[in-house]
Amino acid sequence: MTITAALVLFAVTWFMVFFCVLPIRFQSQDEAGAVVAGTPKSAPATEAIGKKAKLTTLIAIALWVALYFTITSGVITLNNMDIFGIMKMVPPKGP
């Protein structure tokens, strides 16, 4: 796996985890009872983006390491993904 592919894998993993973490412990201004003028009732009552970004980074690193080693170890290959037999057989790389 190239460095660029590893970075793209991490970025995609980070954003997927971030969008899963964002709604955790979310409290709207309407639920808190203090709606600031000029904002919608559904706006967040507290800013917790920094904490959620740090949590996302920790989770994404763990997932990225697992994905990286799964991809580079050869456990899952292109031949495993060809469930309909459409692609040509790709010979395994070896010496």
Side-chain angles (χ1 to χ4, degrees):
M1 177 180 285
T2 63
I3 294 173
T4 305
L7 291 174
V8 168
L9 179 65
F10 181 76
V12 170
T13 304
W14 191 91
F15 276 103
M16 293 291 288
V17 172
F18 188 61
F19 290 133
C20 291
V21 169
L22 272 177
I24 296 174
R25 293 189 179 181
F26 175 79
Q27 185 179 21
S28 68
Q29 291 181 7
D30 190 34
E31 292 170 346
V35 179
V36 177
T39 62
K41 293 179 183 179
S42 60
T46 59
E47 298 175 11
I49 297 297
K51 290 180 184 179
K52 290 183 180 188
K54 289 176 186 175
L55 177 63
T56 297
T57 302
L58 293 175
I59 295 170
I61 287 172
L63 287 174
W64 178 80
V65 167
L67 288 169
Y68 178 82
F69 284 116
T70 301
I71 292 169
T72 57
S73 70
V75 173
I76 298 174
T77 63
L78 187 60
N79 292 332
N80 297 115
M81 295 182 219
D82 188 17
I83 59 174
F84 297 113
I86 298 171
M87 297 183 281
K88 294 179 182 178
M89 292 296 293
V90 178
K93 293 182 180 178

